[in-house]
Amino acid sequence: MTRTQSVLFCCDHNAVRSPMAEGLMKKRHGHAIYVQSAGVKNDLEIDGFAIAVCAELGVELSRHRTRSFDEMREWGDDLEGFDLIVALSPASQRMAHELGRHAHIEVEYWPIMDPTGLGQHRDEKLASYRQTRDQIQARLEARFG
């Protein structure tokens, strides 16, 4: 397998899972691998709980600006520039396959739990977000070392 040089993480809104994956990957690999994230839609801001649980590991997400696949293309980040697209939700997997079918880009699906809406109290919500963060960490470790 050739070494991955660029990765796009995607999910539904680019507000929780894909920014977590982007931030964790950048912390792990620095500038050795080009990393971005996008969502099927851009209708939410970065999630505060995602910011909080990533900050626990020294990953800064508060400056993350959400973007959709469409905005990504408008800003000049063409999908063909990525070696790998990692979809973190079923909707983003469908979109990645649709958009990347002519570019012959490898698409992987990682079934990562969506923590939004889980838990009633702050501590329960944070526990759900930590579980999602840790799922992403484990997948990054297994896939990229």
Side-chain angles (χ1 to χ4, degrees):
M1 186 167 74
T2 59
R3 185 174 167 272
T4 302
Q5 295 180 9
S6 55
V7 180
L8 175 68
F9 292 100
C10 56
C11 65
D12 295 339
H13 304 277
N14 193 224
V16 179
R17 291 170 285 180
S18 57
M20 281 182 168
E22 177 185 354
L24 292 165
M25 182 76 164
K26 285 179 177 177
K27 181 170 176 63
R28 179 179 287 277
H29 292 281
H31 295 290
I33 299 174
Y34 179 70
V35 182
Q36 289 294 315
S37 65
V40 174
K41 300 179 234 172
N42 172 17
D43 56 351
L44 300 173
E45 294 296 320
I46 183 74
D47 188 286
F49 289 110
I51 292 170
V53 300
C54 283
E56 295 171 351
L57 300 181
V59 175
E60 171 62 46
L61 293 185
S62 65
R63 292 184 305 232
H64 177 79
R65 297 295 167 251
T66 61
R67 66 183 184 162
S68 66
F69 281 104
D70 290 337
E71 289 169 322
M72 192 181 93
R73 283 192 307 261
E74 288 170 16
W75 298 344
D77 236 342
D78 191 5
L79 285 180
E80 293 177 10
F82 292 95
D83 299 326
L84 173 65
I85 299 174
V86 176
L88 305 172
S89 70
S92 65
Q93 179 189 26
R94 286 188 299 276
M95 179 72 80
H97 279 297
E98 181 182 318
L99 295 173
R101 70 178 176 261
H102 299 296
H104 306 291
I105 301 167
E106 181 182 0
V107 177
E108 291 182 12
Y109 174 58
W110 296 359
I112 302 295
M113 177 184 78
D114 181 0
T116 59
L118 299 178
Q120 294 184 8
H121 304 290
R122 179 176 171 74
D123 290 342
E124 294 170 341
K125 289 182 180 295
L126 285 169
S128 295
Y129 279 75
R130 286 183 188 112
Q131 186 177 355
T132 295
R133 177 200 66 199
D134 295 346
Q135 285 179 347
I136 293 168
Q137 278 274 70
R139 292 301 296 252
L140 290 173
E141 176 68 29
R143 176 64 168 83
F144 299 102

